[in-house]
Amino acid sequence: MATWEGVPSTIFQVLLQGQFLTGFLLYLGATSGQIGFVIALTTLVNVAQIGVAFLIQRLPSRKWALVTFVSIHRVLWAATGLVPFLFPRPFWVSAFIILYALAFIANTAGAVLWSSVIGDLVPPRVRGRYFGIRNTLLNALGSLVVYGGGVVLDRYPGAQGFLILYIVVWIFSTANIIVFFFYPDVPFEKSEERKFVPMFKKPLHDGLFMKSTLFLSLWLLLQNVTVPLYSYVMLQLLHINYQTLSLLNVAQTVFMMASFYFWGNLNARYSNKRLLFWTLPIIAVSSLLWGLLSVLPLFPVLFAAHIVFGVGVGGFNQLAFNFIIGDTPKKERPMYMAMYAALTGLASFIGPVIGGKVYEWIDGWPHGFQVYGMQLIVGGLMIALIALLGRRILKDV
């Protein structure tokens, strides 16, 4: 059921994220700073997961709370497509941001509940392989949807193309809500703590967990200065069309899928933390590859950068998820997950905000620096972070 639920979820989320989110915001009249802020909003609200992790301990059933918050999130996010019909043009960006923020506030609760349920649902001995297979299947589907959405927007540019995409979004977001009704209501092993402060302190007193989480938060801050704005660079500065951009994302996703199986099998032999460390240099190299645009043709460099990033970030996301649901105490897992989400979410919020503002500041600088200068700087900082802290913190004990 968790795998089937991912099918409509993948379809509508792919059409509302990445290049499509950037394109729609550009259509609404957003600046690079506003685009960075919108991208960052989804992670900022994760701070509220700490409160949600405490409150769900009082729920008699996680299932119906999960259905409720998922439904609110899906409806409000899909409703962003109604902005051009409901508001005057000067208010389009503001209205989008309000609906988007409300949607992801609801998603904060839904994410804690889903992670808690799926952590109890999938047995630890098959967890790495299961998520490798699930992620592979859903990302294969996502690749087809990305390409199809790009073709639609190139063939029907502007309002008509986005209208078609949002019709599809409404269909599959509704289907996604329906499938959640069939999720099993698995037993909930609750924390032994009944008060907020003692429960909150549990992960804080876990030195290994906090060191790893703070390091990964700093890493994600760096990564998100540039990566979420790749679509902005390619659409606005390199003037690449949606279909070509979709092909780049499909290439990234195909190699990400291949890496899921690879990382999943390695996870049966090596710890989550050790494998997490191995993904970091790969992500750093993907950022540095953008510098080759100064001497090599555009598309081979972009394809290489996307492919390498797909391999690295596929492993990172899968292993980070396994780390928080597998390397943490079962009874305290919701608060551990919330602490991880809050700290990495805050860092991931700061990153795109900084990146969006920097792209506004360097407007008018040499074209080459605008296109790949930030990636070179961030890639260099990533290598330094790996050398100084990575090996020491993400080590096996």
Side-chain angles (χ1 to χ4, degrees):
M1 189 52 61
T3 305
W4 279 111
E5 175 269 316
V7 172
S9 176
T10 296
I11 293 171
F12 90 83
Q13 288 194 61
V14 163
L15 294 176
L16 290 175
Q17 295 181 136
Q19 67 194 56
F20 304 113
L21 173 60
T22 302
F24 190 58
L25 285 167
L26 289 171
Y27 165 71
L28 295 179
T31 65
S32 63
Q34 289 171 323
I35 292 171
F37 178 73
V38 168
I39 293 170
L41 265 177
T42 59
T43 54
L44 176 64
V45 296
N46 284 344
V47 175
Q49 289 194 16
I50 292 174
V52 176
F54 171 71
L55 293 174
I56 67 170
Q57 302 290 331
R58 305 186 176 194
L59 292 174
S61 164
R62 287 175 294 181
K63 174 179 176 177
W64 297 112
L66 174 63
V67 171
T68 300
F69 285 107
V70 161
S71 301
I72 294 170
H73 170 250
R74 280 21 174 191
V75 170
L76 288 174
W77 198 6
T80 56
L82 301 176
V83 165
F85 299 99
L86 299 178
F87 301 94
R89 183 177 288 272
F91 300 104
W92 282 3
V93 176
S94 299
F96 179 96
I97 291 173
I98 291 169
L99 284 171
Y100 193 79
L102 292 172
F104 279 89
I105 289 170
N107 188 58
T108 297
V112 174
L113 289 160
W114 185 83
S115 298
S116 175
V117 168
I118 203 74
D120 290 342
L121 193 61
V122 183
R125 60 187 173 80
V126 297
R127 195 172 282 148
R129 194 156 291 171
Y130 168 73
F131 283 111
I133 294 170
R134 182 180 189 269
N135 291 340
T136 300
L137 293 173
L138 297 182
N139 278 275
L141 174 63
S143 296
L144 297 175
V145 176
V146 164
Y147 183 73
V151 170
V152 168
L153 288 183
D154 280 338
R155 186 167 296 178
Y156 304 100
Q160 188 176 4
F162 286 114
L163 176 61
I164 294 169
L165 293 191
Y166 268 98
I167 289 171
V168 176
V169 163
W170 271 102
I171 292 170
F172 285 98
S173 60
T174 303
N176 186 227
I177 293 169
I178 292 170
V179 178
F180 267 105
F181 279 82
F182 296 94
Y183 251 67
D185 196 1
V186 291
F188 185 19
E189 194 170 339
K190 299 182 180 181
S191 171
E192 295 174 357
E193 302 290 349
R194 289 293 175 263
K195 294 183 178 180
F196 175 75
V197 173
M199 193 184 298
F200 176 73
K201 287 181 177 179
K202 287 278 188 178
L204 293 177
H205 290 163
D206 188 332
L208 292 174
F209 171 79
M210 288 304 299
K211 285 180 182 178
S212 300
T213 299
L214 289 170
F215 172 78
L216 294 175
S217 298
L218 182 57
W219 177 268
L220 287 170
L221 189 154
L222 277 176
Q223 178 180 302
N224 283 291
V225 168
T226 55
V227 172
L229 292 159
Y230 282 175
S231 294
Y232 171 79
V233 172
M234 290 184 284
L235 287 170
Q236 195 76 350
L237 301 178
L238 295 175
H239 307 292
I240 294 174
N241 62 36
Y242 283 101
Q243 191 167 340
T244 303
L245 189 54
S246 295
L247 285 173
L248 289 167
N249 286 321
V250 167
Q252 176 179 306
T253 306
V254 167
F255 279 83
M256 187 188 297
M257 288 188 306
S259 80
F260 287 147
Y261 185 76
F262 169 75
W263 293 114
N265 282 337
L266 283 178
N267 205 191
R269 298 168 55 194
Y270 302 103
S271 72
N272 293 315
K273 288 173 69 176
R274 177 183 290 190
L275 292 177
L276 263 175
F277 174 78
W278 291 355
T279 68
L280 304 185
I282 300 173
I283 296 172
V285 167
S286 74
S287 187
L288 292 171
L289 283 173
W290 280 73
L292 293 177
L293 289 173
S294 60
V295 293
L296 295 178
L298 177 67
F299 291 114
V301 172
L302 291 181
F303 272 103
H306 278 73
I307 286 168
V308 174
F309 182 72
V311 173
V313 82
F316 183 93
N317 291 341
Q318 183 167 315
L319 292 160
F321 184 74
N322 289 348
F323 165 64
I324 59 171
I325 68 170
D327 293 3
T328 54
K330 184 176 181 181
K331 291 183 179 180
E332 309 301 331
R333 190 175 292 152
M335 186 56 75
Y336 271 78
M337 290 189 297
M339 184 64 69
Y340 177 88
L343 293 173
T344 57
L346 186 60
S348 298
F349 168 77
I350 295 169
V353 171
I354 292 173
K357 285 298 179 184
V358 169
Y359 278 111
E360 286 184 358
W361 294 336
I362 64 175
D363 186 31
W365 287 31
H367 186 259
F369 186 87
Q370 291 187 62
V371 171
Y372 57 78
M374 287 283 291
Q375 288 87 317
L376 285 177
I377 292 170
V378 168
L381 292 172
M382 285 177 168
I383 295 295
L385 187 61
I386 293 168
L388 293 173
L389 296 175
R391 184 176 294 278
R392 187 152 50 92
I393 291 176
L394 296 179
K395 67 180 180 180
D396 294 324
V397 294

